[in-house]
Amino acid sequence: MGFFGNLFKSEFEKWVEGASHEELSEAYEEERQDWIKNGFNGGTGEKTPKMNRLNKEISKRVAEEWENDPRRNKDPNFRWTDANRWDKD
């Protein structure tokens, strides 16, 4: 992103990018508890921007972990039922 991209980032954005998966999960749960306690964002039921940002970062990291998982079958035609078939060909 470059120098100027980092120049305008908030402290929260910098923390989100550097935080561990556990820290992100704890922060999301804390924000979710506040969201529930305060009446679901004023009755609209929409998540707060902070919750959306945390969720986006957690989802991105989980997708990267899945993509880089060495045990994952990379065959696009593989289906999980193929591994469990009783009548192996």
Side-chain angles (χ1 to χ4, degrees):
M1 185 175 250
F3 174 73
F4 291 110
N6 290 333
L7 185 64
F8 298 111
K9 285 186 181 177
S10 67
E11 289 298 319
F12 176 70
E13 279 294 320
K14 292 177 185 176
W15 177 82
V16 165
E17 291 177 358
S20 70
H21 187 74
E22 290 80 23
E23 291 172 328
L24 290 173
S25 296
E26 289 173 8
Y28 183 85
E29 182 61 23
E30 183 178 313
E31 186 69 20
R32 190 183 73 82
Q33 292 295 330
D34 289 342
W35 178 69
I36 291 170
K37 188 175 13 173
N38 294 330
F40 301 103
N41 200 17
T44 62
E46 295 181 16
K47 294 180 181 177
T48 63
K50 187 175 179 181
M51 287 175 70
N52 286 331
R53 178 63 183 109
L54 290 168
N55 188 38
K56 183 177 176 183
E57 185 68 23
I58 291 169
S59 297
K60 183 182 97 174
R61 291 184 185 190
V62 168
E64 287 173 357
E65 287 175 13
W66 178 81
E67 189 70 33
N68 297 327
D69 186 3
R71 296 171 294 157
R72 181 176 69 90
N73 192 329
K74 294 176 177 46
D75 179 10
N77 295 319
F78 180 79
R79 303 290 179 260
W80 67 270
T81 54
D82 294 345
N84 298 322
R85 285 182 33 195
W86 289 10
D87 54 336
K88 302 269 185 195
D89 294 335

